[in-house]
């Protein structure tokens, strides 16, 4: 027991001694700038944000462009089929605005129907939520496009066409598949269950290889429609009809109202 106490005490002493030279005012090595900064989970998307700032766009313009670009560079998270939240601080007004664009459950995906169709127990603690973990029944009504476009409409400076131009170009020219993207695809075997997902991410049944170029012409067309028609371009017309067709063919919850 004495040995254990001694080792513990020694460890505390070492930590205390080390803290004296690593615990200074700014230990996390921040980057400081006075002309704008863009940070996201992918450098290629951040570069597009910088391009928008250099065009004369403001912070919201850059954020919107980066948000759309992440659908190309970070498909596992930054996708048009998702949703989220945004805080916008307007310095001149000294006010913070909150935008909620979380995905919403389809109107016909109510718990009563799910309980009856799948004979689920009434006690939610016993429910197997894997039923809606993947596949078309797991899809909620996307909020990302509506939220980003609302932010642009309320606070943006450049036109939507100007913001989406580099994003469209990126999708058409393609991106080089990184180790991170390759492993993300490899770790998502359910992609093999969907024809389109398999075509894009797993040609020949294997994750698209590191160092190859991944083109997203289909996504570029979606961006072009959004740039031209705004929210209606995504939630109505051709794109909506494709959503509904896929849902109907795969027993999903979406339906036309």
């Amino acid at each position: 027991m004495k040995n254990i106490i001694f080792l513990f005490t020694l460890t505390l002493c070492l930590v205390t001694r080390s803290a004296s030279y690593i615990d200074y005012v700014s230990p996390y090595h921040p980057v400081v700038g006075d002309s704008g900064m863009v940070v996201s989970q992918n450098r290629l998307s951040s570069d597009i944000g910088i391009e928008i700032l250099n065009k004369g766009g403001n912070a919201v313009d850059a954020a919107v462009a980066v948000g759309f670009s992440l659908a190309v560079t970070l498909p596992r998270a930054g996708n048009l089929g998702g949703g989220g939240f945004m805080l916008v601080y307007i310095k001149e007004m000294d006010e913070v605005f909150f935008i909620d664009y979380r995905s919403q459950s389809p109107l016909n995906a109510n718990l009563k129907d799910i309980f009856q169709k799948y004979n689920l127990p009434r006690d939610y603690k016993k429910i197997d939520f894997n039923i809606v973990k993947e596949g078309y029944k797991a899809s909620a009504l996307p909020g990302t496009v509506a939220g980003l476009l609302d932010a642009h409409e309320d606070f943006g400076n450049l036109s939507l066409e100007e913001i989406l131009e580099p994003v469209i170009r990126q999708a058409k020219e393609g991106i080089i598949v990184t180790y991170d993207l390759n492993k993300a695809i490899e770790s998502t075997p359910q992609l093999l269950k969907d024809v389109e997902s398999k075509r894009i991410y797993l040609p020949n049944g294997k994750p698209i290889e590191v160092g190859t170029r991944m083109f997203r012409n289909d996504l570029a067309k979606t961006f072009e429609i959004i740039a031209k028609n705004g929210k209606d371009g995504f939630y109505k017309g051709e794109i909506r009809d494709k959503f509904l067709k896929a849902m109907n063919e795969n027993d999903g919850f979406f339906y036309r109202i």
Side-chain angles (χ1 to χ4, degrees):
M1 179 64 70
K2 290 183 180 180
N3 289 338
I4 295 176
I5 294 175
F6 171 76
L7 290 174
F8 179 69
T9 304
L10 178 59
T11 302
L12 285 178
C13 290
L14 289 173
V15 171
T16 303
R17 288 171 62 96
S18 299
S20 63
Y21 63 86
I22 66 170
D23 187 21
Y24 58 99
V25 176
S26 186
Y28 300 110
H29 312 289
V31 175
V32 179
D34 57 8
S35 59
M37 186 181 298
V38 177
V39 179
S40 77
Q41 198 169 333
N42 187 279
R43 179 183 60 80
L44 297 177
S45 293
S46 297
D47 287 345
I48 281 185
I50 294 296
E51 183 176 340
I52 294 299
L53 292 180
N54 289 336
K55 282 184 177 182
N58 60 22
V60 172
D61 291 323
V64 171
V66 170
F68 279 107
S69 171
L70 287 171
V72 180
T73 64
L74 194 73
R76 71 177 183 274
N79 222 298
L80 302 189
F85 311 97
M86 186 182 296
L87 292 175
V88 181
Y89 172 66
I90 305 300
K91 183 179 180 180
E92 292 76 13
M93 302 172 64
D94 192 26
E95 189 170 354
V96 176
F97 295 86
F98 171 67
I99 303 174
D100 179 358
Y101 52 97
R102 281 288 292 170
S103 306
Q104 296 183 359
S105 175
L107 291 175
N108 62 332
N110 63 72
L111 284 176
K112 180 180 178 182
D113 290 343
I114 295 175
F115 279 128
Q116 292 177 345
K117 186 169 184 177
Y118 296 102
N119 297 316
L120 298 178
R122 294 293 177 175
D123 184 353
Y124 76 93
K125 294 181 180 179
K126 299 179 181 179
I127 296 175
D128 179 10
F129 285 103
N130 285 328
I131 290 175
V132 289
K133 184 178 180 180
E134 61 183 59
Y136 283 79
K137 281 188 169 59
S139 299
L141 187 65
T144 295
V145 174
L148 293 178
L149 295 190
D150 281 346
H152 168 258
E153 182 179 353
D154 292 339
F155 306 107
N157 183 36
L158 300 179
S159 69
L160 186 58
E161 290 83 358
E162 289 177 289
I163 291 173
L164 289 180
E165 185 276 326
V167 182
I168 294 169
R169 183 177 70 245
Q170 181 184 61
K172 287 182 176 179
E173 294 179 354
I175 62 168
I176 301 299
V177 175
T178 61
Y179 174 85
D180 175 72
L181 178 55
N182 171 269
K183 288 302 177 184
I185 296 170
E186 184 183 86
S187 302
T188 315
Q190 59 263 39
L191 292 172
L192 287 166
K193 300 177 183 179
D194 181 73
V195 175
E196 278 299 295
S197 298
K198 182 179 177 180
R199 178 184 67 83
I200 296 168
Y201 301 113
L202 296 116
N204 303 317
K206 296 181 180 179
I208 189 167
E209 294 181 2
V210 176
T212 59
R213 186 171 292 272
M214 182 176 69
F215 299 96
R216 295 304 311 275
N217 291 311
D218 50 352
L219 194 53
K221 183 178 180 181
T222 298
F223 292 145
E224 290 173 339
I225 294 172
I226 294 172
K228 182 179 179 180
N229 301 310
K231 282 189 283 188
D232 284 350
F234 186 77
Y235 295 99
K236 297 181 180 180
E238 177 184 354
I239 296 176
R240 177 199 61 185
D241 291 343
K242 288 184 176 181
F243 265 120
L244 295 176
K245 182 176 183 294
M247 284 288 167
N248 291 334
E249 291 176 351
N250 294 276
D251 196 28
F253 285 129
F254 288 18
Y255 71 104
R256 187 192 302 270
I257 58 173

